[in-house]
Structure formats: C-alpha cells, structure tokens
Amino acid sequence: MESSASLADKLASKTASNNSLDSSSKSSSLGSKHGQNGVLRDTPFAYLDGEEDQDQKNDVTYVCPYRGPVFGALTITNYRLYFRSLPLRDQEPPVVVDVPLGVIARVEKIGGATSRGENSYGIEIFCKDMRNLRFAHKQQNHSRRTVFEKLQTNAFPLSYSGRLFAFAHAAAASAVNGGSSGWDGWAVYEPLAELRRLGVPNDMWRATKLNESYTICDSYPAVWAVPKAASDDFLRRVAQFRSRCRLPVLSWMNPRTQATITRCSQPLVGVSGKRNADDETYLSYIMEANAQSDKLTIMDARPSANAIANKAKGGGYESEDAYKNVEINFLDIHNIHVMRESLRKVKEACFPTTDDSKWQTAIDNTLWLKHIRCILAGAVRIVDKVETMSTSVVVHCSDGWDRTAQLTALSMLLLDPHYRTVRGFEVLIEKEWLSFGHKFQQRIGHGDNKHSDADRSPVFLQFIDSVWQVSQQFNNAFEFNEHFLITIVDHLYSCRFGTFLCNTEAERVTEDLKHKTTSLWTHINSSLDQYLNPLFPSFTQGAELVLRPIASVRALRLWKGLYCRWNPGLCVPQHGCQRTRELLSKQDQLFKHVNELRLKSNNRSNSMQTTTRLASPMH
C-alpha cells in the first residue's frame, strides 16, 4: 500500500492502521495491533500477534509507476511485505508499501547476470488486488535470492508444506489474551436460529441434520430445511440425481406468503434426457409448500447454450414436459473462466497507467459491468417472482456453488432488510457462501503458487461489487458503508482470519477453524463504528422494505474506490461518509437547540400565565 504517512503517524495509535484501504491509499484495513505480544518493534509498523520477521534488506529500490524509483528498506514477515523509502530531503514524506502476503498471486525474477540497465535486476510481484509491485536489487550483494525465497515460502505456505498465517495469528493472540478474544465472530451464524427467524419449522417445512456427518453431500452444510413431505430416505434418493448430490434445499422464505427460494445443482439428465420420478416429485413438494401459487419457477443462471452443452457431460436442465407446472428461465450469466478474463482486463485498464481518451472504451471492453448487470438482473427477476407473483423459485447453475450463490444471496439481500444490517450481512455470507460450499480456497488460491489454476475466479468479488452497486442506488437502505465491503474484500485475500479459508463447511470442521483461527467478524464487530452508514436510520419503512434496483449498465459504474485505489490519477478521495456524519451531528445539535428554545419559550409562557392569574382581582 503506498502511503505518505509519517513514522509518527504510523505509531500514533494501536488502531490507526485498522482503517480500510481508501482510495487515496493512506490507510488500510489490513493494519495490525501495536506491537507483538505488547512489545513495540524497532520498525515503522505495528506487528500482529504471531507475526515474525523473515528477512530485511536496506538497499532495495521500489520502482513506483507514479513517482519513479525510490530507495529504501524492505522487510518481509510471515504476514506482510513492507517497504519504506528513505526521503532524500527534509519534510519529504516517505513512500510506504504494505502488502499482506496472502494478496500476492505470483512472484517473478526480472533480469539476470547480464542485465545492465538501471533497476533492470530484481523482483516483480503480481497481486490479487489489482496492483503489481516491482523492486530492484543490486546484483553484487545477492539480496534478491533470499527475498525471492522468503516471499515464495511465506506467500505460498501450502505449496511448501507450511500453514497459513491465520493459525499462527490466532495461537499467538490466544496466548496473549489468555484464550479470550472478547466477542466471538464464529457465533454470528447459528443455522437453526436463522431458520427460526424465517419461520421454520412450520406445517410445510422442517429442519434436518441428515447431513450432519457430510455423507449425503460433502459440499453442503450439516443442517438443511426441506419440505416436510420429504422423508430422509427420499432425500437420499433425490440427491443422487443432482450434480455433486446438491439437491434443492431452502435458502429463504417469505414469512407473509410462504413463497421460497431454494438452491441446488443441475439435474443429471444427460444427452438421453433421463428422468427421475423422485426428483420430479420433490420439486412438486416445493411448489405445493406454497399455497399462494400453483407454479414453480426454475432460474438457471447459465446461458441456455451452456446448459445444453452440459448434457454432453451428464448434466443439463429440467424439461418443462417432465416437470409439471414448472417454468424454466436462463439468466445468461457466464462461467468462471469468462469472469476471470474480464477482471484481468479491468486490471489492465486501471493499473498502472490509463489513457484518458480511451478510458470509457477500455472499461466497456472489459465487459465487467455487463456481467454485473446480468447478476443484478437475475436477482431482480427472482425478487419479482417471489414478492410480486408469490411464486417459489429454485435457483441453480451447474454445480450450484458459484452463480447460484450470487443469485440467492443477492435476491435475499433485496427481499429481506435483515441482511442489509452488519450482522445480517455476515449471516448471509456465512449461510449462502460458506456453509453451501463456495470453493473459496480454489477460487482465491489461498497460500498456493498455482497462479494459472483454471479454478480461480472472482465470483465472490462480483457479489460484493453487486451489493455496492445496489447501495449506490439505495444509499440509506444499508446499515454498513463502503468501507465495510472493502474490508471484506481485503481480508478475502489476506489469510489473517479463518473465515474464508477452505472450500466447504466439512473442511472447516476438519481443520477446526473455529478454535484454531479468528473470525473476520470478530475483528469487524469489535470496532463497528467505522463500518456504519450514518444515513441508515433515515431509511423509510413500508414499500421500500423490498429493493428493486435498476439493472441496466446505464445505472452501473465501475467501483473506483476498490479497483482504482492504487492509481492516484483515478482514485477519488472518499470523504462523503465523514462529511455526512458531520452534517448529521450538526443537525442533531440544531434539533437539540430548537428543543431547548421551545422548552424555554413554554416555561416563559407558563410563568406569564401564572403571574397573570395571581394578579387578577378574581383570585
């Protein structure tokens, strides 16, 4: 992270570095506790619990794409890379680069023994958060070799039989705090409590722990909500006809109409168009559980061509002839490979340099906003079916852990105000993304050096971007602010917390993450004030409880606060939230002053009336 903060500023407060990465790159949600084990290190940054030095070089040049080469010191710990320039003139602010190693996608050596150009010999670092970093080394002192080795082993510990930093961080914090870390973020989501909030169990739906040992479906949660008419043995048979055994289970229920959102994977119909009586009956149970409608809508996230192509691999989609009273809609959301390429183009457009005359064309050519529009439009269609038509909806893609999660989570956010609060949004992520098996480990590549892995894709990032787009259209409907969303994205990569580690709930249970790592929600909920939207209390109730955003590219815009924050020519200082707080505070003061004046006026009036009565000859 580039910064012009002074050393005094860096050490001024234990929480100063806990601010989220703003667009001027002067603060970071990836900051740290002041000192390790309560001891201040002789370095210009505060160490996290469990953070230890790995290497330090005092003769490294950071090739900054905006300020040019700057000479300084480089420190590598088991959590971060930290560079600080040595100012050549008094009062000149230093250049600071502070990058958690989990953000690094790959590290490459540049130049060789015959390199003669200035700063042509060194290391280039490619990051997951849109930036690249280049450091030049002097050939004669061989400093590059050890830096490269330490970056490889600490940025990609799983490729070198190591462990992610989250484990060392939690162990050290537990030792310092005596095993108590205050509010436990792992307790934010309790499946049965969330089902009770939705009104389950009831006459038509029940909760089951059939998958408690993860033997029916290893990528599903232990607790499901299913139609009451479906027995456990029946559910086992239905699972066999769905890809990865991901049968339809409840995500959300409208408490007023009982219309539901259920999620699953594609049916295994294949080229021959196989039918399965149990699967067809099961979908009829879902439809019949909603007395308001005699129809069931299936939202297939894929383009229809992709769904048809999946038949050749044994998958496919539901036939309206086989599934009675069912209509199927294809939402044209492309696969993970298309999305990965789109984000690559966004990075090229935003960092390190841009051409103003071609900026809009470059962004249009990424197709990023078109993809976001498709996700938003799909969620709005689900909302319309559930809220307006009182029709239950089944959502799936191919395996049901990428596009399906985008659609269910976003539509639930639009339908249910609870998920637009801080705690509710944390529950939404825990439920629809983590417990239902979005493959965070594979999609992000935590701790491994397989940077060209075809399984990597910005699926969850697109969901967060979609939430931000909705928040821009309804800026007083969310309890949380932009800083909250950016903090989640930052720690999606950082590997400081256990929240986004592993691929499934079963893996997290096996790794015992609840006891061996700290939850991101512990970190966020311990300092809520900085994540709150000051406009939220003014959100009106009634019709606007359900949000219906405009799903048009004309209404969307590139999230510069996230994607362009490393480019000083593109980033826009985000002072709006602070200014709003100041105005609301001033408004409160004025209201208080008005009330005081009214009280004085009433007291004066009452006093005059009392005086008049006492002076009257009638008394």
Side-chain angles (χ1 to χ4, degrees):
M1 168 184 67
E2 291 183 32
S3 170
S4 57
S6 66
L7 175 58
D9 292 336
K10 288 282 182 181
L11 300 179
S13 167
K14 292 184 180 182
T15 59
S17 60
N18 282 329
N19 296 325
S20 185
L21 298 167
D22 62 24
S23 56
S24 61
S25 304
K26 292 184 179 180
S27 60
S28 173
S29 67
L30 304 168
S32 60
K33 184 179 175 182
H34 191 58
Q36 183 187 36
N37 300 336
V39 179
L40 184 64
R41 300 286 190 86
D42 187 21
T43 53
F45 66 89
Y47 282 69
L48 290 168
D49 291 320
E51 187 173 6
E52 299 177 354
D53 286 334
Q54 302 296 309
D55 197 13
Q56 190 166 17
K57 304 298 180 189
N58 295 315
D59 53 356
V60 176
T61 298
Y62 168 50
V63 186
C64 177
Y66 308 109
R67 294 181 56 173
V70 287
F71 184 77
L74 179 70
T75 300
I76 298 172
T77 73
N78 55 340
Y79 173 69
R80 81 183 76 208
L81 174 152
Y82 185 91
F83 172 87
R84 182 182 176 86
S85 68
L86 302 175
L88 299 177
R89 294 177 294 276
D90 291 341
Q91 307 303 318
E92 182 183 47
V95 172
V96 171
V97 179
D98 188 352
V99 184
L101 300 184
V103 173
I104 296 175
R106 74 180 194 268
V107 183
E108 293 183 359
K109 294 178 180 178
I110 53 174
T114 59
S115 299
R116 293 291 180 266
E118 186 178 9
N119 300 322
S120 62
Y121 179 87
I123 288 174
E124 187 159 13
I125 298 170
F126 300 84
C127 298
K128 300 170 186 175
D129 65 356
M130 311 301 289
R131 54 184 162 164
N132 297 339
L133 305 169
R134 187 168 180 173
F135 295 94
H137 296 256
K138 296 178 180 178
Q139 294 188 41
Q140 58 269 30
N141 58 17
H142 305 291
S143 64
R144 182 179 76 168
R145 181 176 61 194
T146 56
V147 168
F148 181 82
E149 290 173 353
K150 293 298 183 182
L151 284 176
Q152 287 285 343
T153 55
N154 288 280
F156 314 118
L158 300 186
S159 297
Y160 294 89
S161 302
R163 303 208 80 185
L164 296 168
F165 175 74
F167 293 94
H169 176 49
S174 179
V176 170
N177 300 320
S180 174
S181 57
W183 199 89
D184 183 11
W186 290 116
V188 73
Y189 172 56
E190 204 291 301
L192 292 175
E194 174 62 9
L195 287 175
R196 285 193 295 271
R197 190 188 71 83
L198 295 174
V200 177
N202 57 34
D203 292 341
M204 304 304 293
W205 292 85
R206 68 183 178 95
T208 177
K209 293 185 178 180
L210 176 64
N211 198 44
E212 192 168 23
S213 58
Y214 307 104
T215 53
I216 306 300
C217 177
D218 61 5
S219 60
Y220 257 18
V223 177
W224 305 344
V226 296
K228 205 168 188 179
S231 67
D232 286 354
D233 286 340
F234 181 81
L235 294 172
R236 289 187 179 94
R237 296 198 302 271
V238 172
Q240 297 304 308
F241 192 66
R242 291 282 166 170
S243 176
R244 315 281 182 172
C245 296
R246 294 171 66 91
L247 74 164
V249 298
L250 182 73
S251 283
W252 188 80
M253 176 184 293
N254 186 316
R256 178 175 53 84
T257 66
Q258 306 300 298
T260 60
I261 298 173
T262 51
R263 60 179 294 169
C264 58
S265 61
Q266 65 184 339
L268 301 178
V269 298
V271 177
S272 62
K274 286 185 293 186
R275 293 182 60 172
N276 183 284
D278 291 330
D279 194 72
E280 293 168 21
T281 301
Y282 186 61
L283 289 195
S284 72
Y285 288 164
I286 293 174
M287 179 186 67
E288 291 164 2
N290 171 17
Q292 303 293 321
S293 176
D294 57 1
K295 292 280 188 182
L296 181 68
T297 297
I298 295 176
M299 295 291 187
D300 190 323
R302 302 167 293 184
S304 59
N306 295 33
I308 294 169
N310 264 276
K311 286 187 174 183
K313 303 175 185 177
Y317 58 93
E318 297 83 355
S319 164
E320 292 182 358
D321 293 331
Y323 292 82
K324 303 303 179 185
N325 300 313
V326 166
E327 66 168 2
I328 186 163
N329 298 273
F330 296 99
L331 301 180
D332 295 322
I333 302 173
H334 286 276
N335 62 32
I336 61 172
H337 313 296
V338 173
M339 302 310 185
R340 181 176 60 247
E341 176 62 15
S342 181
L343 183 64
R344 184 190 66 77
K345 291 179 180 178
V346 172
K347 180 174 181 177
E348 284 184 352
C350 296
F351 187 93
T353 58
T354 58
D355 184 342
D356 284 348
S357 64
K358 299 178 181 178
W359 163 252
Q360 195 58 53
T361 300
I363 294 302
D364 290 344
N365 289 341
T366 69
L367 299 181
W368 184 256
L369 292 180
K370 180 179 178 244
H371 297 317
I372 297 296
R373 185 205 69 79
C374 284
I375 296 167
L376 265 177
V380 169
R381 289 180 69 176
I382 294 170
V383 168
D384 185 58
K385 285 291 183 182
V386 173
E387 179 65 18
T388 306
M389 308 299 292
S390 297
T391 301
S392 292
V393 175
V394 176
V395 183
H396 71 69
C397 48
S398 295
D399 290 321
W401 49 46
D402 289 318
R403 289 167 283 192
T404 298
Q406 290 176 332
L407 290 168
T408 57
L410 193 56
S411 58
M412 290 161 65
L413 181 91
L414 299 178
L415 285 162
D416 192 336
H418 174 66
Y419 297 125
R420 302 195 289 268
T421 65
V422 171
R423 300 288 171 84
F425 192 73
E426 293 166 355
V427 167
L428 184 65
I429 290 175
E430 288 281 344
K431 182 177 184 290
E432 291 301 303
W433 289 91
L434 292 159
S435 78
F436 275 100
H438 175 67
K439 302 194 293 183
F440 281 100
Q441 175 64 43
Q442 289 188 19
R443 296 291 179 258
I444 306 302
H446 293 311
D448 74 56
N449 59 7
K450 297 189 279 286
H451 61 83
S452 58
D453 190 338
D455 278 328
R456 295 196 182 182
S457 190
V459 177
F460 183 73
L461 175 63
Q462 286 184 312
F463 165 68
I464 297 295
D465 192 327
S466 299
V467 174
W468 180 81
Q469 299 288 349
V470 177
S471 74
Q472 298 307 292
Q473 295 188 33
F474 302 92
N475 58 11
N476 57 356
F478 293 81
E479 185 184 28
F480 49 82
N481 56 24
E482 179 186 50
H483 174 54
F484 174 74
L485 296 176
I486 292 178
T487 298
I488 291 173
V489 173
D490 285 339
H491 290 298
L492 171 66
Y493 307 126
S494 75
C495 296
R496 175 179 167 184
F497 303 103
T499 300
F500 296 117
L501 304 188
C502 300
N503 290 315
T504 65
E505 181 177 290
E507 289 180 10
R508 293 183 190 96
V509 170
T510 300
E511 291 288 336
D512 197 19
L513 294 189
K514 285 190 176 183
H515 299 102
K516 293 183 178 179
T517 67
T518 303
S519 168
L520 170 59
W521 316 133
T522 301
H523 171 72
I524 287 177
N525 295 339
S526 64
S527 53
L528 268 181
D529 286 351
Q530 61 181 306
Y531 303 110
L532 298 179
N533 172 15
L535 292 176
F536 178 68
S538 66
F539 182 62
T540 57
Q541 301 298 307
E544 290 187 294
L545 283 174
V546 176
L547 304 182
R548 291 181 172 86
I550 301 171
S552 165
V553 172
R554 292 190 298 273
L556 306 179
R557 62 179 186 270
L558 187 73
W559 188 2
K560 288 186 178 180
L562 179 67
Y563 303 119
C564 303
R565 53 185 166 160
W566 314 116
N567 187 334
L570 288 175
C571 64
V572 179
Q574 300 293 314
H575 302 311
C577 221
Q578 180 59 34
R579 179 58 178 158
T580 301
R581 285 195 181 93
E582 292 172 357
L583 290 173
L584 289 174
S585 176
K586 185 66 175 177
Q587 175 182 271
D588 289 342
Q589 293 175 18
L590 291 173
F591 276 137
K592 184 178 179 181
H593 185 55
V594 167
N595 289 333
E596 289 174 349
L597 291 176
R598 283 175 176 165
L599 183 61
K600 288 181 179 179
S601 177
N602 289 338
N603 290 339
R604 187 179 299 112
S605 176
N606 292 336
S607 177
M608 292 177 64
Q609 290 176 8
T610 301
T611 303
T612 302
R613 285 197 299 269
L614 290 173
S616 172
M618 296 295 294
H619 293 279

